[in-house]
Amino acid sequence: MSAVIQPDMVPAKAAPPRETSGVRLAVRRFLRNKLAVVGLAVVVFFFLFCFAGPLVYSTDQTHTMLQQVNLAPSGAHWLGTDAVGHDELGRLMYGGKVSLTVGLAAGVLATVIGTLWGAAAGYAGGWIDAVMMRIVDAGIAIPALFILLVVSAITTPGLTGLVVILGLVSWLVPSRLVRAETLTLKNRDYVLTLRATGGTHARAILRHILPNSVSTIIVAATFQVADAILLVAYVSYLGMGVRPPQTDWGGMLSAGLTAAYSGYWWLILPPGLAIILVVWAFNAIGDGLRDAFDVRGRG
């Protein structure tokens, strides 16, 4: 006699696998980009080096110590000392903290301004869009470094002032990227439905346009941070950046330029390599994020 199969004895069907979210797909694609992962590791290293390093390797970066001027690297001073006796390794941490802080803050500020400007221009359309984007075109035609040099020659900006100035000269490119994204999003069904039900323009931008442009905004912010760090180095190298006793990597390059002719290579190579590595790392991260969020490239 065949056995009677009870309903509860039938094995339950396995639940269908949950569809991988867009964020997980983006993370997987990013992690497959080896250069982007290396760039992320470099950025994490320099943040730990500059912000946690002084807690382990404590040095005096305020007082002048003429008895230990331009000493070569040794066990006492791993990267030697500079022209006023400051430990070069500690100086590299101290200057990197300024460069990274100003670059990150200025990049975020530029991205915020550019995002709001571009979203407003693209959503408004018509003559408003034309006027707003002609302002952007005119600003792009003027080199940001020229504006920075003029402002630095007129006034002596502190850290906050430098962040604001960099943010105000660097928001133009993100605005164009976000505007292009807004032009494709504002005619989507969910935006049109919101407008038909009485939703405001601000609600459409803040609740629908910007959240759906987040990938473009993140990528733009990454490149803006790299550009801001480079601009800080340019201005400081020309002697118009932060004022002593503060310094950054560009200021260290400027201070060590004349000493390099005397063979004091340790005053040039460390800050120069730090700038190159950090700027490259942020650009590599930006490239990786752009590929990760590119829907057309997903298999």
Side-chain angles (χ1 to χ4, degrees):
M1 184 175 64
S2 60
V4 178
I5 300 177
Q6 300 296 329
D8 56 354
M9 297 174 60
V10 179
K13 294 183 178 180
R18 185 177 298 176
E19 184 178 357
T20 305
S21 66
V23 175
R24 290 183 178 179
L25 282 174
V27 171
R28 289 180 181 177
R29 287 177 59 84
F30 180 84
L31 294 178
R32 286 200 296 265
N33 189 322
K34 295 181 180 180
L35 285 179
V37 174
V38 172
L40 180 60
V42 170
V43 169
V44 171
F45 166 78
F46 272 102
F47 268 95
L48 291 175
F49 174 76
C50 295
F51 289 90
L55 301 178
V56 179
Y57 190 81
S58 179
T59 58
D60 184 357
Q61 296 296 324
T62 304
H63 300 93
T64 300
M65 289 164 281
L66 298 179
Q67 71 276 12
Q68 54 182 34
V69 171
N70 292 330
L71 296 180
S74 63
H77 303 282
W78 292 3
L79 288 181
T81 61
D82 62 10
V84 293
H86 292 148
D87 183 272
E88 188 71 2
L89 180 58
R91 200 73 172 162
L92 195 65
M93 297 175 184
Y94 185 74
K97 186 184 299 185
V98 174
S99 292
L100 292 175
T101 300
V102 173
L104 186 63
V108 171
L109 178 60
T111 304
V112 170
I113 297 174
T115 295
L116 296 177
W117 186 279
Y123 185 83
W127 67 269
I128 297 178
D129 178 35
V131 171
M132 294 179 70
M133 296 317 295
R134 294 299 77 75
I135 295 175
V136 171
D137 293 339
I140 291 178
I142 304 173
L145 183 58
F146 173 76
I147 299 175
L148 283 172
L149 291 178
V150 171
V151 174
S152 298
I154 296 173
T155 182
T156 304
L159 289 182
T160 303
L162 196 57
V163 168
V164 172
I165 294 171
L166 286 171
L168 292 178
V169 300
S170 305
W171 61 271
L172 303 169
V173 173
S175 70
R176 300 186 72 173
L177 296 175
V178 175
R179 171 188 176 267
E181 192 75 14
T182 303
L183 290 175
T184 64
L185 292 174
K186 71 175 184 179
N187 293 322
R188 298 287 177 88
D189 292 339
Y190 48 81
V191 178
L192 297 177
T193 301
L194 176 66
R195 296 294 301 124
T197 55
T200 63
H201 298 302
R203 184 180 178 85
I205 293 175
L206 296 177
R207 293 292 300 274
H208 294 292
I209 302 289
L210 294 184
N212 285 284
S213 304
V214 66
S215 60
T216 301
I217 295 170
I218 291 175
V219 174
T222 307
F223 288 118
Q224 286 305 308
V225 172
D227 291 343
I229 292 174
L230 210 51
L231 283 174
V232 173
Y234 288 156
V235 175
S236 297
Y237 179 78
L238 296 174
M240 298 181 181
V242 294
R243 294 294 180 257
Q246 291 180 321
T247 189
D248 57 61
W249 288 335
M252 293 176 66
L253 277 177
S254 178
L257 182 61
T258 55
Y261 293 111
S262 302
Y264 304 143
W265 55 267
W266 56 88
L267 301 180
I268 291 292
L269 287 183
L273 288 175
I275 294 172
I276 293 172
L277 287 174
V278 169
V279 172
W280 171 84
F282 273 108
N283 282 312
I285 293 172
D287 288 336
L289 289 174
R290 182 175 55 196
D291 294 340
F293 286 119
D294 185 6
V295 178
R296 293 169 296 181
R298 292 176 181 169

